[in-house]
Amino acid sequence: DALDAGIKIAMENHGGDLHSWECRQLIESAGTDFVGCNFDSGNAAWTVEDPLDAFETLGPVTICSSLRDQQVWDTPEGAAVQWTAVGEGLIDWKAFAARWAQLCPRVPIMIETISGAQRMFPYKQPDFWKDYDRRPDKLAKFAALAQRGKPRAPTDREVVHPLVEILRRAVVGRLERLIIQGHQQVANRRTRCA
């Protein structure tokens, strides 16, 4: 039905649910003609993956995005991950955008503004791996990322850049005007038909 309707379903690499290779396998098993990936760079670190490495796996099947940055740092038990505003984390956005243009050039880059959430990943503890698929090459890239990172204080709130709030207000205002115009047009048609 989705193929007949011209609908493509985007499956997100959601934090903690699927590694990038598992998400890619599901998409390819279902069929890339109607299923693709909604790539979330912030969720990649929540599966103990380097976001750029996860994008190498998922980029060729990406059909939409919700990108954000994150800070990852080493802890005695493993690593801590905290979502940050774009530019305040570890992603090299110039390199990421260049690779994006190569792997999925027709897909727009959309920024997700959720930040502040912090989570610990005790991957140096043996019990951690009962719930995670351990791939040494992937873990090595994540561990290298954590070595580069710097600890941040956790925040209890979503941090929104002031420009994002201005844009949100403008979009909401425009949508409200369009809804009012639509209601007026319906009312005018009813008046003409009566």
Side-chain angles (χ1 to χ4, degrees):
D1 290 339
L3 282 172
D4 294 337
I7 295 172
K8 241 186 166 175
I9 299 164
M11 186 170 153
E12 185 172 351
N13 62 314
H14 198 261
D17 296 337
L18 296 170
H19 288 95
S20 61
W21 57 89
E22 294 169 313
C23 187
R24 173 104 181 231
Q25 287 170 351
L26 279 173
I27 290 166
E28 289 177 342
S29 294
T32 56
D33 50 343
F34 78 100
V35 180
C37 177
N38 173 37
F39 184 74
D40 185 327
S41 54
N43 285 342
W46 282 43
T47 56
V48 192
E49 293 183 81
D50 178 308
L52 296 175
D53 188 50
F55 181 64
E56 287 296 323
T57 301
L58 293 171
V61 294
T62 293
I63 60 174
C64 62
S65 66
S66 49
L67 304 182
R68 57 184 145 183
D69 214 338
Q70 64 268 303
Q71 191 62 253
V72 181
W73 62 94
D74 198 42
T75 68
E77 298 80 26
V81 176
Q82 183 171 336
W83 292 329
T84 67
V86 170
E88 293 180 5
L90 292 173
I91 291 180
D92 176 345
W93 288 99
K94 285 185 179 182
F96 192 89
R99 194 63 180 135
W100 189 276
Q102 294 169 341
L103 293 177
C104 51
R106 302 179 77 146
V107 178
I109 291 178
M110 294 174 265
I111 302 298
E112 185 166 347
T113 59
I114 298 172
S115 63
Q118 188 179 102
R119 185 169 174 194
M120 302 298 172
F121 293 89
Y123 72 85
K124 295 175 185 174
Q125 307 302 312
D127 287 350
F128 179 81
W129 295 103
K130 68 181 181 194
D131 297 321
Y132 275 80
D133 181 2
R134 185 179 202 147
R135 296 210 172 173
D137 60 324
K138 303 292 186 185
L139 179 58
K141 290 177 183 178
F142 179 80
L145 186 71
Q147 290 293 316
R148 290 190 0 241
K150 295 177 178 51
R152 292 178 60 103
T155 60
D156 294 332
R157 61 181 177 81
E158 180 178 325
V159 178
V160 179
H161 191 280
L163 180 59
V164 172
E165 181 59 24
I166 291 167
L167 290 171
R168 187 194 66 76
R169 281 192 219 135
V171 169
V172 168
R174 175 78 175 131
L175 287 173
E176 287 172 347
R177 286 191 297 280
L178 288 171
I179 290 168
I180 290 168
Q181 288 173 357
H183 287 295
Q184 289 171 342
Q185 289 173 356
V186 169
N188 289 341
R189 281 191 214 123
R190 286 184 184 151
T191 304
R192 282 191 297 239
C193 292

